[in-house]
Amino acid sequence: MDVSLDLLVNAIVSGLLLGGFYAAVSIGVAISFGMLDIVNIAHPAFILLGSYVAYFANSVLGMDPILAAAIALPAFYLLGMAVYQVYYVAFERRNDQSLRSLAFFFGLLFITEVGLVLAFGVDYRLVEARYIGPSLHFGIIDLPLRLLVPFLVAAAMVVGLQVFLSRSFLGRAIQAVAQDQLALRLMAADPIRIKRIAFGLSFATAAVAGAILIIVQPVEPSIGREYIGRVFAICVLGGLGSFTGMAIAAIILGIVESLTSTFFGPSWAPAVAFGVLLVTLAVRPSGLMGR
Amino acid sequence: MANSSLTVANIDAGYGAVRVLEDVSLSVGAGETVALLGTNGNGKSTLMKSIMGIVCPSSGSISAVIDGTTHELVGRSTEEIVDLGIAFVPEGRRLFPKQTVIENLLLGAFRPAARSAIRRNLDFCLETFPRLKERSRQVAGSLSGGEQQMLALARALMSAPRILLIDEPSVGLAPLLVSRTIDKIKELKEGFNLTVLMAEQNFTQAIRIADRGYVIVHGRIAFAGESAEALNNNDLIREFYLGA
Ligand SMILES: Nc1ncnc2c1ncn2[C@@H]1O[C@H](COP(=O)(O)OP(=O)(O)OP(=O)(O)O)[C@@H](O)[C@H]1O
Ligand SMILES: [Mg+2]
């Protein structure tokens, strides 16, 4: 069997799985930044919070990390609504969204990180579950379950949210709210309530993404920063406001990174990934599926 | 039957220190089509925004009867007013430009009371505006001005309103399209059993479908015409519109 073909196929497969994981990490930002125009750069820190919730439930209670995420989901949703309310009262209502709100989310990012350091220390933490370790084998293809399970959970979350956003009244209002708030009022919907719900949902995805993250790799509190650039890149590459575009972009980025690190070494991966972003934006300024 | 009406009583309204409306009163009876006539900057839009809770009157009262129940509108939010069954097609149409025609129409039915009839209303709107049906998957921002006006009207109707307010339906349309749009409003009014208040600068077109009308000059009701004929023979109208 040809070794390089073997490598190539497996690099693509693990890139695909990695892409699913990136989609889960990015979907919260696809909602807050892509649909609400709120630059929540603290999102990766809340994903880390989700990781540590899963870690805590797993190490102390022996709970499955994904089950832990499902249980933490409502709390994250409420936390997101509360954060939006503060953001709304402090910035949005005063039409003061730009620089000072960026400082607000930077502040949240650092507070969350410091909180995690104080609570859990700076060592890498990981979780235990039956699906961490074994792999499925199909011919030359290796499917590590620690990537496959997160991929499936991520896919379910992206598809579920996409269906909700395109089929429900609330979902359609979320997609429209950043375009014209008065128009939304004239549809009998309160834009602030719609945004609060959407931001809550965006936070709820962080609980799931966090659990997935700590299954995929061990985490320490500042690791979220590595994802900030990647996550915004994925949303912009996909086209703001489009989940489908975001998911495709996440998978492209996953495959590109995986191929690069297999054939050229891991340190090249981010550079090549951002190269792809820049080239795509040069050709299609509104992203792959931007409207 | 259409048992929904609108009464504006002695309102003053404006923007900050700028007073636009002074002691304005008007009424729209159940099942009537009333025209609000006036040239640029006389306060037509301000009056409509006051009714919809977008501008808050400093004094006076605005009340609506919806299916026999009376509601005071001053102090309510815009979304509450729409939820009562009062729809508004605003100046500039205010469509969601990145959403498709269908998505815009479905958003029109956000109001819980409109959701049960959504299928029927959607079919009715697409039948009335075949052009929108052809373009149902196109984003609203790429429609022509005339198509956008149709979509704005259809979207307002998707909320299954009892009272419909339309701010200058003819603005920006070619003459032929103006008369067609006015005809459509009449058709929709009958199809949905509506009570209609329509602001217009185009007197001749508005008066074709209006039962009566008010002329607003510098924020005051200068003339209330009890019939189309009365309006036609009014000196103010002659002066402002007919160049006599
Ligand atoms: N947001 C605002 N802030 C301050 N003044 C305003 C505002 N909107 C309107 N005005 C002023 O209020 C007055 C009435 O405006 P309004 O829009 O109600 O007129 P209109 O009859 O609808 O005119 P048009 O036919 O041009 O739409 C004008 O003098 C206008 O300059
Ligand atoms: Mg106006």
Side-chain angles (χ1 to χ4, degrees):
Chain A
M1 203 184 302
D2 189 356
V3 175
S4 68
L5 175 72
D6 195 68
L7 265 180
L8 178 70
V9 170
N10 278 302
I12 290 175
V13 169
S14 61
L16 181 73
L17 298 180
L18 190 67
F21 159 65
Y22 284 167
V25 174
S26 306
I27 196 167
V29 172
I31 296 172
S32 60
F33 182 51
M35 291 174 183
L36 308 180
D37 277 348
I38 301 174
V39 190
N40 176 14
I41 46 175
H43 191 75
F46 289 101
I47 291 179
L48 258 292
L49 182 65
S51 295
Y52 279 96
V53 167
Y55 165 73
F56 181 82
N58 183 259
S59 61
V60 176
L61 311 170
M63 193 185 281
D64 179 85
I66 291 168
L67 178 64
I71 293 172
L73 210 98
F76 272 70
Y77 177 73
L78 293 177
L79 179 64
M81 298 223 285
V83 168
Y84 175 73
Q85 198 60 34
V86 172
Y87 168 77
Y88 170 70
V89 172
F91 304 102
E92 203 177 68
R93 198 177 52 182
R94 301 183 193 159
N95 238 327
D96 191 8
Q97 275 128 293
S98 51
L99 217 54
R100 296 214 296 148
S101 74
L102 210 57
F104 169 71
F105 286 113
F106 249 120
L108 272 184
L109 174 76
F110 287 122
I111 290 168
T112 312
E113 257 184 44
V114 169
L116 289 174
V117 170
L118 291 177
F120 297 98
V122 293
D123 297 334
Y124 277 93
R125 306 283 176 181
L126 39 78
V127 288
E128 283 164 17
R130 275 192 313 276
Y131 43 81
I132 296 176
S135 292
L136 301 178
H137 302 281
F138 300 95
I140 58 166
I141 299 173
D142 283 328
L143 282 180
L145 286 181
R146 78 177 309 161
L147 288 181
L148 183 62
V149 170
F151 177 85
L152 295 175
V153 173
M157 181 162 77
V158 174
V159 171
L161 272 172
Q162 169 68 23
V163 169
F164 166 73
L165 284 171
S166 57
R167 301 284 165 83
S168 70
F169 286 97
L170 208 53
R172 286 189 285 257
I174 289 172
Q175 293 196 58
V177 70
Q179 289 170 50
D180 192 333
Q181 298 208 19
L182 174 62
L184 203 61
R185 289 212 152 90
L186 293 175
M187 310 291 103
D190 172 2
I192 306 310
R193 175 177 160 260
I194 300 293
K195 286 194 191 181
R196 206 186 302 124
I197 292 171
F199 210 72
L201 282 174
S202 148
F203 261 58
T205 69
V208 178
I212 288 179
L213 172 64
I214 200 170
I215 293 169
V216 172
Q217 63 167 89
V219 302
E220 54 93 5
S222 70
I223 207 177
R225 294 190 209 166
E226 283 175 28
Y227 285 93
I228 295 175
R230 215 184 253 130
V231 158
F232 279 88
I234 286 169
C235 292
V236 173
L237 179 60
L240 296 178
S242 164
F243 271 15
T244 320
M246 182 279 294
I248 294 171
I251 284 169
I252 290 176
L253 209 70
I255 292 176
V256 168
E257 283 192 3
S258 169
L259 286 175
T260 321
S261 59
T262 303
F263 294 103
F264 302 98
S267 48
W268 282 100
V272 174
F274 280 94
V276 169
L277 170 73
L278 292 179
V279 171
T280 313
L281 289 184
V283 182
R284 282 188 64 96
S286 59
L288 295 172
M289 314 255 307
R291 283 180 175 179
Chain B
M1 274 313 290
N3 186 14
S4 302
S5 60
L6 187 67
T7 309
V8 174
N10 313 103
I11 65 161
D12 290 350
Y15 306 90
V18 186
R19 195 146 162 222
V20 176
L21 300 180
E22 267 179 78
D23 197 29
V24 168
S25 300
L26 65 73
S27 67
V28 188
E32 271 189 322
T33 299
V34 170
L36 181 62
L37 303 160
T39 48
N40 287 117
N42 279 306
K44 302 182 298 298
S45 299
T46 305
L47 177 53
M48 294 209 143
K49 287 192 247 174
S50 305
I51 297 170
M52 295 311 296
I54 300 166
V55 167
C56 188
S58 52
S59 66
S61 92
I62 303 173
S63 63
V65 178
I66 306 284
D67 292 330
T69 314
T70 308
H71 307 269
E72 174 61 39
L73 302 188
V74 176
R76 284 186 199 251
S77 69
T78 302
E79 49 272 29
E80 284 172 327
I81 292 169
V82 176
D83 203 32
L84 289 173
I86 305 177
F88 179 39
V89 181
E91 216 163 27
R93 288 125 193 184
R94 308 303 286 258
L95 299 170
F96 301 105
K98 294 181 186 172
Q99 306 305 108
T100 64
V101 167
I102 285 288
E103 285 165 347
N104 268 279
L105 290 173
L106 293 175
L107 273 161
F110 186 91
R111 178 186 171 225
R115 295 182 191 178
S116 57
I118 189 165
R119 196 67 251 174
R120 185 159 45 84
N121 290 344
L122 190 62
D123 288 345
F124 185 90
C125 285
L126 294 178
E127 248 168 62
T128 315
F129 300 110
R131 205 44 183 273
L132 295 181
K133 193 172 187 170
E134 287 164 27
R135 319 218 151 215
S136 59
R137 306 269 157 223
Q138 191 172 323
V139 294
S142 68
L143 296 175
S144 76
E147 290 161 352
Q148 290 195 8
Q149 186 64 60
M150 292 174 196
L151 180 54
L153 265 173
R155 186 183 63 174
L157 291 168
M158 288 299 293
S159 74
R162 297 290 183 272
I163 300 176
L164 177 64
L165 272 58
I166 315 171
D167 197 350
E168 298 204 54
S170 77
V171 77
L173 301 185
L176 183 65
L177 216 51
V178 172
S179 70
R180 248 196 256 151
T181 305
I182 297 290
D183 289 336
K184 285 291 181 196
I185 291 171
K186 185 179 166 69
E187 196 180 322
L188 292 167
K189 186 223 150 184
E190 280 157 10
F192 281 87
N193 230 329
L194 297 169
T195 298
V196 177
L197 177 64
M198 174 174 74
E200 251 308 340
Q201 298 210 36
N202 189 328
F203 170 77
T204 15
Q205 287 296 335
I207 213 66
R208 285 202 298 121
I209 64 163
D211 299 304
R212 33 189 208 93
Y214 294 87
V215 180
I216 184 166
V217 180
H218 298 318
R220 292 173 165 275
I221 299 293
F223 178 68
E226 285 311 312
S227 66
E229 198 180 330
L231 284 165
N232 241 328
N233 297 329
N234 180 259
D235 290 341
L236 268 170
I237 299 282
R238 286 165 174 275
E239 182 186 332
F240 281 122
Y241 290 102
L242 308 176

